[in-house]
Amino acid sequence: GDKIVSKGEKVNKVKKDALLKAGYSIIQINAKGVAGIFAIFIIGLFAIFNYLKLFEPQFLNKRHISVITILSLILTFIAIIIPPNWSIYLLPVPAYVMMLSIFTKPRTSFFITVILTVLISSALWLSAARISVFIIVALFAAIFTSKINFTKRLHLVKVGFEISIVMVLCILALYLLQLCLTDMASK
């Protein structure tokens, strides 16, 4: 309940650390950082456009581009509004993959998800370990979604359950690896 910093007050290293421990994000991005994020974004869009142009030209129409754009904007918006003290794993990447797979193809969905995950992770400064969890789960989500029988509603629920198991296992494996590394570093 103590006040860490007042409005207009300069934030030093000690106050930054206190803010981080209290769960506040204090990432400062200057003009070079914004230019870097913009450049990564443009490269990502270029990669997606060229992928669609070369391998999936049937998805280069207004309807598919609109669906891809709307779903991507929703995922990006959710990534931005997740409070810093919540787990980033609440980001619905598996749902994004499933939805995009239904409207396009699982392979296309996976490719676009990898690009978007890298873009979001770069903007939010996520660790490589977290990015890898999202990419592995996206791969499994694309694989599982490709096997859905859309005439049976229960298949969609089953796939969602399978994907959630993969996500839990990936997060657990990452947690155990971090514990192991922490134990090794303390010895």
Side-chain angles (χ1 to χ4, degrees), residues 122-140:
S122 298
L124 297 179
W125 294 90
L126 297 180
S127 67
R130 289 185 172 160
I131 297 169
S132 65
V133 167
F134 284 128
I135 290 174
I136 290 168
V137 171
L139 176 61
F140 277 97

Side-chain angles (χ1 to χ4, degrees), residues 50-62:
N50 281 307
Y51 174 83
L52 293 175
K53 184 177 163 187
L54 291 172
F55 301 111
E56 308 289 352
Q58 71 273 21
F59 299 132
L60 277 177
N61 58 53
K62 268 187 181 178

Side-chain angles (χ1 to χ4, degrees), residues 21-186:
K21 285 187 180 186
Y24 293 98
S25 177
I26 53 167
I27 296 173
Q28 297 174 343
I29 299 178
N30 58 16
K32 290 178 186 175
V34 171
I37 291 171
F38 181 73
I40 290 171
F41 179 76
I42 295 299
I43 292 168
L45 284 179
F46 183 73
I48 291 170
F49 174 76
N50 281 307
Y51 174 83
L52 293 175
K53 184 177 163 187
L54 291 172
F55 301 111
E56 308 289 352
Q58 71 273 21
F59 299 132
L60 277 177
N61 58 53
K62 268 187 181 178
R63 193 178 86 214
H64 285 99
I65 296 296
S66 296
V67 167
I68 292 168
T69 302
I70 289 169
L71 290 174
S72 299
L73 287 173
I74 290 170
L75 184 66
T76 304
F77 179 74
I78 292 170
I80 292 169
I81 65 166
I82 289 179
N85 55 344
W86 289 17
S87 174
I88 194 65
Y89 296 119
L90 293 175
L91 192 61
V93 171
Y96 174 81
V97 175
M98 287 177 66
M99 294 291 291
L100 206 53
S101 292
I102 290 168
F103 288 106
T104 59
K105 288 182 179 176
R107 180 178 61 183
T108 304
S109 173
F110 175 70
F111 181 81
I112 293 171
T113 302
V114 168
I115 298 294
L116 187 61
T117 301
V118 169
L119 293 174
I120 290 171
S121 300
S122 298
L124 297 179
W125 294 90
L126 297 180
S127 67
R130 289 185 172 160
I131 297 169
S132 65
V133 167
F134 284 128
I135 290 174
I136 290 168
V137 171
L139 176 61
F140 277 97
I143 291 168
F144 294 158
T145 305
S146 70
K147 297 177 181 183
I148 290 177
N149 181 351
F150 290 105
T151 60
K152 298 181 180 178
R153 290 184 204 175
L154 196 58
H155 276 211
L156 193 59
V157 174
K158 180 183 171 209
V159 166
F161 183 71
E162 291 170 342
I163 293 168
S164 65
I165 289 172
V166 170
M167 183 120 184
V168 167
L169 290 174
C170 286
I171 293 168
L172 181 62
L174 181 62
Y175 176 73
L176 292 173
L177 179 63
Q178 287 174 341
L179 281 178
C180 179
L181 293 175
T182 304
D183 287 346
M184 289 173 54
S186 65

